[in-house]
Amino acid sequence: MTLPVAAYDAVASGIIYALFNNTQSYVFDEWVVSGDPDDPSTLELEVSGEVLLAFGGPAPNLLVKYYEYNNISPIKFMNMPDKYAFINTTTGEVIAYLEKPVDFKHEDLFVIEMFIDEENNIAIIFYGLDWRGTWATSIYVNNLTKQGVLTELLTNNVLIYHWIDENNNTIPEPNEIHQVYP
């Protein structure tokens, strides 16, 4: 996670981290994935039988890059000529998108996905198209936890949300977040 905005991915992870009572370990993505970050074909998963929470998309996070490059995750990011999209890795179908140009200070899409990988890890991935979207994932999940309504996160393996900054303060707030998939 070498991009400066990855600091916000770490902030998002801290919000989720604080929700759990179980013993946890913070690790960097390069501790669970080896290989050349600039060549996704060289990436290899180094853990098995773990629960892995990843924050940030494929650009800042090697684990997410590994899963998306190898079509293991149910959803992957695609930068298309006219839009930023989340794509179903099995069908290639565009699941959700924002048309370009996007003012990421006031709008974003984010995904929360959960799956079991080939090494029997349970992977849970949280990220937005930009850093405010990743931050919005943790704000949203934190709000659901406080309300005691996490069932939608536990009954779907992919959830996609749209954040629109309704009060123009550039900060994602739970009432500004709306589910777009499923």
Side-chain angles (χ1 to χ4, degrees):
M1 298 193 60
T2 58
L3 299 175
V5 296
Y8 291 96
D9 299 341
V11 168
S13 69
I15 293 170
I16 301 297
Y17 181 86
L19 295 174
F20 296 101
N21 293 326
N22 300 358
T23 302
Q24 302 164 55
S25 299
Y26 259 120
V27 299
F28 292 106
D29 51 353
E30 67 265 10
W31 295 3
V32 295
V33 177
S34 63
D36 181 354
D38 296 325
D39 183 0
S41 69
T42 68
L43 298 179
E44 294 184 27
L45 194 57
E46 299 292 332
V47 296
S48 63
E50 299 291 337
V51 177
L52 305 171
L53 275 68
F55 293 83
N61 192 303
L62 287 180
L63 181 61
V64 176
K65 184 182 283 189
Y66 167 81
Y67 283 137
E68 290 194 5
Y69 177 81
N70 292 295
N71 292 322
I72 296 167
S73 59
I75 297 294
K76 68 180 176 181
F77 167 75
M78 185 167 288
N79 184 354
M80 304 171 93
D82 60 338
K83 62 185 138 225
Y84 300 106
F86 287 121
I87 307 295
N88 180 310
T89 56
T90 304
T91 66
E93 174 188 7
V94 173
I95 300 298
Y97 66 91
L98 292 179
E99 290 183 6
K100 294 178 179 179
V102 178
D103 178 3
F104 285 114
K105 288 183 180 180
H106 300 284
E107 182 177 20
D108 208 339
L109 284 178
F110 66 85
V111 64
I112 302 171
E113 55 188 332
M114 182 171 52
F115 56 93
I116 298 174
D117 69 22
E118 73 280 4
E119 295 295 328
N120 209 31
N121 295 301
I122 298 171
I124 307 171
I125 297 173
F126 304 81
Y127 79 88
L129 298 176
D130 200 46
W131 66 266
R132 279 184 179 83
T134 301
W135 187 23
T137 65
S138 61
I139 291 168
Y140 187 73
V141 170
N142 188 16
N143 186 59
L144 288 180
T145 302
K146 286 179 180 178
Q147 294 177 28
V149 290
L150 281 176
T151 54
E152 70 180 80
L153 296 178
L154 301 174
T155 57
N156 295 288
N157 68 333
V158 175
L159 298 166
I160 300 175
Y161 296 88
H162 187 197
W163 165 65
I164 298 176
D165 186 16
E166 295 171 359
N167 62 7
N168 206 34
N169 70 354
T170 72
I171 298 172
E173 298 176 28
N175 62 313
E176 298 173 333
I177 297 168
H178 307 284
Q179 187 171 338
V180 296
Y181 181 86

